[in-house]
Amino acid sequence: MSDSERKRRTSKSRQTGAPTIADVAAMAGVSMMTVSRVINAEPKVRQSTRDAVNEAIAKLNYAPNRAARSLAGASQIRVGLLYSNPSEAFLSAFIVGSLEEAGRLDVQIVIQKVEEGEALGAAVERMLAGGIDGVILPPPICEAAEVLDMLAKADVPTVAVATPMEPQGIATIAIDDASAAREMTTHLAGLGHERIGFIVGHPDLSASAERLAGYRQGLLDAGYRYDEALVAQGFFTYRSGLDAAEELLSLENPPSAIFASNDDMAAAAVAVAHRRGLDVPGDLTVCGFDDVAMATTIWPELTTIHQPIAAMSRQAVEILVTLLRTKRIAEIGGQRVLVDYRLVRRQSDAAPRRRPATRVPATA
């Protein structure tokens, strides 16, 4: 971003109200996530970056909780965000969304990472010790029984995001993972693909099972039989996507399309195809899930399922803050919010170039 653009955005902000975290990020020339890391005194920030952010905060007179403190009788609201997501792209979208909503509502986001090798319980204790009023949890933490039990015992209102699990004393926000995977599978079948490979997500997450179920149903809808040989295990990481794609493309009769359970693994499948001299999508169609930034920064751009990650994290913050401010926090238990997804078609899918007919009658 140019200096003139930063000045323009900052000037506009001053005309319309108190500066936001976006204004600080623009002036410092960094992301909102970096600003949050500086505000929360996280160690892994370059000193030059830290200085630039602090200088911007001073120039703008930025105060994260200014409006909240000015409300008569309002107490400072601190929302904890505990994470250990292996997908940096997913996590970035999630954190940016939560920071945007926190800025709009003038509350503080306390971002806590589960450090490598650290026990989940210890990470939760550290976060609770910092003083928080509520917690939002992205996957895979959102389904960690130990974390949920500790937060319940501490009587901390919690919103789990991007999980199809049934809410029990917490609120959950998600898309219909099975329906989305089913739609993508039938889309690929509609292009003429008869051997559709699938890369499953982490086995410990219910979203992985839901997406696999949707893939299987999509095959049945198209009149194809489920073939275990066309399913490879992944873990939502790029590395696991490389291994899974190699497994699928090494088959004697490889798939003409690969549908991965997230964009990281889909991007890895594209890389494996290129390494093997395959054209995407001419020789191999590759599709993903999530629609994170990576989907449009690789070549070809990915056809994928758009899961509104940032919007879901914004809604999680809004739910917590609304209930905390209205003193209706008991209403959080059992809330289930289902948000819309959509299939976004880009350049990574096409009809198969040449494949013999292999249609097999569907079985239950």
Side-chain angles (χ1 to χ4, degrees):
M1 183 182 295
S2 65
D3 290 339
S4 61
E5 174 66 9
R6 288 175 192 152
K7 291 177 181 178
R8 185 189 68 77
R9 287 181 59 178
T10 302
S11 175
K12 182 178 180 182
S13 172
R14 286 173 174 167
Q15 293 170 8
T16 56
T20 68
I21 193 168
D23 300 318
V24 176
M27 176 173 283
V30 299
S31 68
M32 288 187 286
M33 187 160 56
T34 298
V35 174
S36 175
R37 286 171 176 163
V38 173
I39 291 173
N40 289 298
E42 293 190 19
K44 296 181 181 179
V45 179
R46 292 181 181 177
Q47 189 58 48
S48 59
T49 301
R50 194 181 300 277
D51 291 342
V53 171
N54 285 329
E55 182 179 352
I57 289 173
K59 286 182 178 180
L60 292 171
N61 194 26
Y62 171 68
N65 296 287
R66 178 180 298 166
R69 289 196 302 269
S70 67
L71 292 173
S75 59
Q76 181 181 23
I77 292 179
R78 290 162 58 86
V79 175
L81 192 165
L82 185 66
Y83 74 91
S84 67
N85 198 294
S87 171
E88 292 185 4
F90 183 102
L91 181 64
S92 177
F94 191 95
I95 291 180
V96 166
S98 63
L99 289 174
E100 288 175 346
E101 189 65 13
R104 188 182 75 83
L105 298 175
D106 293 292
V107 298
Q108 185 179 17
I109 293 288
V110 180
I111 301 175
Q112 182 74 61
K113 178 183 179 182
V114 179
E115 299 294 343
E116 186 174 354
E118 181 181 23
L120 286 177
V124 175
E125 288 176 356
R126 282 195 295 118
M127 187 175 64
L128 292 175
I132 49 158
D133 299 292
V135 176
I136 57 175
L137 300 173
I141 298 284
C142 61
E143 295 186 10
E146 181 181 4
V147 172
L148 296 174
D149 288 345
M150 290 184 68
L151 293 175
K153 289 177 181 177
D155 202 24
V156 175
T158 302
V159 181
V161 184
T163 172
M165 71 177 186
E166 290 298 319
Q168 296 180 356
I170 63 172
T172 61
I173 300 174
I175 65 170
D176 188 334
D177 291 274
S179 178
R182 179 181 183 178
E183 183 173 335
M184 179 63 82
T185 305
T186 55
H187 165 70
L188 294 174
L191 291 175
H193 294 281
E194 299 176 347
R195 290 184 62 77
I196 302 170
F198 186 70
I199 302 178
V200 189
H202 199 290
D204 291 342
L205 289 178
S206 55
S208 300
E210 289 291 308
R211 294 174 192 180
L212 176 59
Y215 161 75
R216 296 187 66 158
Q217 186 58 54
L219 293 177
L220 287 174
D221 292 344
Y224 301 143
R225 186 170 57 198
Y226 175 74
D227 183 352
E228 289 187 357
L230 291 175
V231 177
Q233 184 64 60
F235 295 89
F236 286 131
T237 63
Y238 185 87
R239 175 71 254 179
S240 70
L242 293 175
D243 295 338
E246 283 286 1
E247 178 184 334
L248 292 173
L249 294 177
S250 296
L251 294 172
E252 184 176 348
N253 186 10
S256 62
I258 292 178
F259 173 23
S261 290
N262 76 344
D263 291 336
D264 294 66
M265 297 190 298
V270 171
V272 171
H274 289 163
R275 186 169 63 195
R276 286 171 166 260
L278 299 175
D279 176 69
V280 177
D283 298 313
L284 177 71
T285 279
V286 178
C287 298
F289 202 113
D290 284 340
D291 197 21
V292 296
M294 178 183 292
T296 55
T297 55
I298 67 168
W299 178 83
E301 294 185 2
L302 285 172
T303 291
T304 188
I305 294 293
H306 176 76
Q307 177 173 217
I309 300 165
M312 290 192 295
S313 66
R314 284 195 293 267
Q315 192 165 5
V317 174
E318 181 183 21
I319 287 172
L320 279 177
V321 173
T322 298
L323 295 181
L324 285 165
R325 284 181 172 165
T326 58
K327 310 299 183 182
R328 295 175 10 239
I329 199 60
E331 296 178 16
I332 198 169
Q335 280 199 46
R336 173 71 167 162
V337 180
L338 197 65
V339 298
D340 292 334
Y341 67 86
R342 70 179 187 275
L343 192 157
V344 180
R345 193 174 182 190
R346 297 194 179 98
Q347 292 81 43
S348 67
D349 72 322
R353 179 172 290 170
R354 53 185 181 276
R355 287 292 184 273
T358 56
R359 181 179 287 270
V360 177
T363 59

